[in-house]
Amino acid sequence: MVASFLLTLRHRLAHLLRSSGRNIDKALDMWAASVMEFGGNVPWKNSADLYRTIDAIQHGDAPWKVYQVHYQGPLPPGTPPKWMTESYELCMRDARQVLHHQLSTREFSGNINYAPYKHQDADGQRVWSNLMSADWAWKQADAIAKDRATHGAMFVPIIAGSDKTTVSVATGNQEYHPVYMSPGNLSNIARQAHTNAFLPIAFLPIPKTSKKNRKAATYQTFCRQMYHASLSIIFEPLKPGMSAPEVIKCPDGHFRRAIYGLGPYIADYPEQVWLAAIVQGWCPKYVIYALLFDIDTENTQRKTEFLIGAWDPGTLWTTFGVRADVVPFTHSFPRADIHELLSPDLLHQVIKGTFKDHLVTWVNEYLLEEHREARGLDIIADIDRRISAVPPFPGLRRFPDGRDFKQWTGDDSKALMKVYLGAIAGHVPDGMVKSLAAFLDFCYIARRNAITSEGLKQLEHALDRFHVYRDVFVGTAGVRGDQISLPRQHSLKHYVRSIRLFGSPNGLCSSITESKHIKAVKEPWRRSNRFQALAQMLQTNCRMDKLAAAHQVLTTLGMMDGTTSSHQAMLLRGEQPQPRPRVGAMAAEDNMDDDDHGPAPGPKSLSSVELAHTPARGYPRTLRSLAIHIDQPEFPAALRRFLYDQVNPDSDISPADVDINDCPDFTGHIVVFQSAVACFYAPSDLCGAGGMYHERIRSHQNWKGKYPRYDTMFIKTGPDSDPMYGMTIGRALLFFSFTFREKYFPCVLVNWYVPGNAPDENTGMWVVQPEFTGNGRRPLSVVHLDCVARAAHLLPVYGTSFIPEDFQFYDSLDAFRAYFVNNVIDHHTHEFLS
């Protein structure tokens, strides 16, 4: 009992004390002081003692090694440049050992595919989702099956990614270049989660030299050759397993024969240029036979080798965009072609590139050119006010000052995408609005976790519309010349083929590597003393991996369930921890009752909306007193009409047409809640292991002590053939429950926003208008929670008018005559309304 308690206690404390050594020493000293008078002892004397405990953990051990890399070419006469005589550090760990740790992680059971597969939905459409559901993995498995030596072996594709990152500009532009790795058999959801699905396996050397030597051909060639040589060394431990099967332990506890293979490579465009050994500005996927990105043909390793053998280096550079001085690292690995393996990059090609860097910039430059500077700046300022005036929504980042902030992140761009279209409508030509709408359709379809054959057609159609409507920018300040030719926009042409090859781009996005930078690079760097920081960072990474592996083992044994005190109480009762069943257990364990939105635990299930766990305080319990309290005098009548409908479900008479005296009276107690939680299947959003997602719909008189908040919802009111697929928007004025004739009713009091007959022609969004009665009042209805689908987000239809500078966002849902139903607030809504 004592040993079990101490083991659990020490592991929890080790996780809590992942701070600097100085802070750990302070915490341990305070802990020792608190138990001293009782004669107690703490497990560790100081931070060094704690680190020795962590270092002794056997699980997850993959030590880092450092290799020295030197320039070995001819030296010029006289004093050679400094970069030719310096040594550079390649820090790496055994990729095979890391892969085995990842594949044996029990947490991934249920989130791994042991063989390629082809998925068809209920309508017979092909579905591309995880890497193993796509054509490339199928083709690789076919090649493995044809070889007698590898026939029957499980195919394990290796997804790799690399991306240079800066940790501090102020202290000398400190840069690091990590390389990450993930087994391609894991589902996209597993790879995106904060687990060991994607781990750092190397830090590439970063040579530096003076500005004078930076553009020298020999220096640039050396940098690229060292880059590819380093990648070859990093993946060399896996090479024998690419031809001869190895026995590996899998998440389900079984052992299987496996064949490895280099899989999709995640990289932004500058990294792709280095990987494909091409000239900056050219396409890494296709050979271009013109200076513009229009006439192209699929590139392959064989075509590149043919071109290098047929043309001189100058012609290769200027006509084909190919470098003859670099051999990609994939050339030395079986069944690997870097031109094919480069995956689409949603973050830099679509979100940051085409949207933020191109379209948003072009809109502003058009406004300044079209309206002159003073008027153009006024319109841009109003667009910023419109962005800041949108109503709240679970997980939606607010922009108090519009786009007026200096350092953009990928999350900032994603948040702006959700509200930007409604903000510019009315201030720019319809063609620009249509261009943005088409691009957003492309973006949200491409970001789905599962894309059907019909989805691919929609993707192509959205791209075609975008290419037609974006011509409105040609000739403006943003786009000089007679056509648009940009690498990141050109890359959109390859998405359909890439999806067929590798599945949904959502699971191969550079946002995964960028998020890993935080834990693998930036936090370890902050914990270092900044002097020769990389060695300290590697040690921190190693310790974090050990803690994560130990946490997984203890969780499997049931020793991490509950709190430390509850675990001790269980042991004092003579009970023992109960091992968890062997299932995929990657769902969020946070209390959903406290969260606005996020992953929901459990397997895929039907959608549901439930009231919050805790009732609100301070509300009257009787119907009429409650109606007075919330200033809704028509509430009693609305509830009685609701009860009539529940008591007479087969009646042909609408409850609104029934005499109020014929409706049941209610004299019972009412319990009020300030929110409800919608839980639904949304695998394209940040979901749990089963693809489930939750969001909180709020109805609060004084949210955060500042303003009233009454969220809007999709409510099913008719058949799918009705406008907006039978949905109407309701605003949650009160969540409540009651019991009537021994039956429990969870309900919401709403007023309505009624849709038109078709989506808006320019934005593609449905438009709704607040419903009013003849006397100018908003009618009330009581709706059963079973009719509520999920939260909805409305964007005001601003028109051409400017909004006041002192306008407050919490007044938006009461201040306008019409609203767009925001179909890009999240991926589920976009799919929901498509």
Side-chain angles (χ1 to χ4, degrees), residues 353-651:
T354 304
F355 174 68
K356 181 252 179 182
D357 292 343
H358 297 163
L359 296 177
V360 174
T361 301
W362 293 351
V363 166
N364 287 352
E365 292 179 349
Y366 160 79
L367 291 171
L368 293 173
E369 181 183 69
E370 179 70 14
H371 299 281
R372 304 297 182 183
E373 184 174 0
R375 177 66 176 174
L377 289 175
D378 287 342
I379 295 174
I380 292 172
D382 187 63
I383 290 174
D384 286 337
R385 286 195 294 275
R386 292 179 173 193
I387 291 169
S388 68
V390 300
F393 186 83
L396 176 64
R397 174 183 171 174
R398 284 204 61 247
F399 294 92
D401 302 311
R403 303 161 298 100
D404 190 19
F405 52 95
K406 294 181 180 179
Q407 190 165 354
W408 282 75
T409 67
D411 288 339
D412 294 329
S413 298
K414 292 175 187 176
L416 184 64
M417 291 176 86
K418 299 177 180 182
V419 297
Y420 188 68
L421 186 61
I424 65 171
H427 277 324
V428 300
D430 290 347
M432 290 189 182
V433 177
K434 291 179 179 179
S435 175
L436 261 293
F439 167 76
L440 289 174
D441 281 341
F442 176 91
C443 176
Y444 274 73
I445 295 170
R447 289 167 67 187
R448 290 177 185 173
N449 193 60
I451 303 173
T452 63
S453 304
E454 180 61 31
L456 287 182
K457 292 179 183 177
Q458 293 173 2
L459 190 73
E460 288 183 300
H461 179 56
L463 185 60
D464 291 340
R465 287 188 290 123
F466 173 61
H467 285 157
V468 169
Y469 292 127
R470 73 174 180 176
D471 284 346
V472 71
F473 292 104
V474 174
T476 66
V479 183
R480 298 302 186 190
D482 58 358
Q483 59 181 307
I484 297 171
S485 179
L486 297 165
R488 284 178 289 185
Q489 289 196 33
H490 167 81
S491 68
L492 306 186
K493 296 168 60 176
H494 306 320
Y495 268 60
V496 170
R497 182 176 183 274
S498 293
I499 290 168
R500 289 194 173 105
L501 277 178
F502 302 131
S504 169
N506 218 23
L508 298 169
C509 181
S510 62
S511 61
I512 301 174
T513 58
E514 292 214 350
S515 67
K516 289 298 178 183
H517 286 340
I518 298 172
K519 294 294 183 183
V521 182
K522 296 184 178 181
E523 287 183 1
W525 184 84
R526 294 188 194 109
R527 293 191 68 245
S528 73
N529 62 13
R530 312 295 195 272
F531 177 70
Q532 295 183 346
L534 184 54
Q536 301 169 60
M537 292 162 59
L538 299 179
Q539 190 174 52
T540 298
N541 270 296
C542 194
R543 286 169 176 164
M544 293 302 101
D545 290 344
K546 285 172 173 283
L547 282 173
H551 186 276
Q552 175 207 333
V553 172
L554 295 179
T555 300
T556 301
L557 296 174
M559 296 173 67
M560 301 303 295
D561 294 339
T563 63
T564 305
S565 58
S566 67
H567 181 83
Q568 173 67 352
M570 175 192 66
L571 295 176
L572 291 173
R573 292 193 302 268
E575 302 173 7
Q576 292 297 320
Q578 297 301 311
R580 289 188 175 184
R582 186 180 292 276
V583 295
M586 292 175 47
E589 297 179 358
D590 295 334
N591 185 358
M592 292 197 306
D593 202 43
D594 298 327
D595 293 341
D596 234 19
H597 70 110
K604 179 180 178 180
S605 60
L606 296 176
S607 302
S608 64
V609 181
E610 297 180 355
L611 294 171
H613 292 169
T614 307
R617 298 178 181 178
Y619 285 84
R621 300 290 301 273
T622 62
L623 178 58
R624 285 165 179 78
S625 298
L626 181 58
I628 295 171
H629 183 82
I630 64 173
D631 194 25
Q632 295 291 350
E634 298 300 317
F635 179 28
L639 181 60
R640 292 180 68 183
R641 295 188 188 281
F642 169 79
L643 290 175
Y644 176 87
D645 188 52
Q646 297 297 311
V647 173
N648 303 280
D650 299 325
S651 174

Side-chain angles (χ1 to χ4, degrees), residues 30 259 557 739:
M30 287 188 288
I259 283 288
L557 296 174
T739 301

Side-chain angles (χ1 to χ4, degrees), residues 131-132 136-137 140 155-161 181-185 235 238 242 260-266 275 329-330 333-343 501-502 508:
L131 175 62
M132 300 299 279
W136 176 83
Q140 293 283 310
F155 176 51
V156 179
I158 309 301
I159 296 175
M181 185 182 73
S182 174
N185 308 76
F235 293 106
L238 295 168
M242 296 178 181
Y260 312 134
L262 292 182
Y265 202 107
I266 301 173
L275 286 162
F329 80 99
T330 52
F333 290 86
R335 307 182 306 276
D337 184 342
I338 191 60
H339 302 287
E340 180 184 51
L341 294 179
L342 289 174
S343 67
L501 277 178
F502 302 131
L508 298 169

Side-chain angles (χ1 to χ4, degrees), residues 25-41:
D25 288 335
K26 288 180 180 179
L28 291 174
D29 184 64
M30 287 188 288
W31 184 15
S34 67
V35 300
M36 192 176 295
E37 63 176 302
F38 305 106
N41 294 310

Side-chain angles (χ1 to χ4, degrees), residues 301-313 315-316 320 322-324:
Q301 180 176 312
R302 290 181 61 187
K303 285 183 180 178
T304 301
E305 291 173 348
F306 170 77
L307 290 173
I308 291 174
W311 301 89
D312 63 273
T315 303
L316 288 172
F320 302 105
V322 174
R323 296 185 66 114

Side-chain angles (χ1 to χ4, degrees), residues 1 228 250 453 477 527 562 688 691 699 767 795:
M1 180 180 75
H228 283 278
C250 297
S453 304
R527 293 191 68 245
S699 178
V767 177
L795 296 171

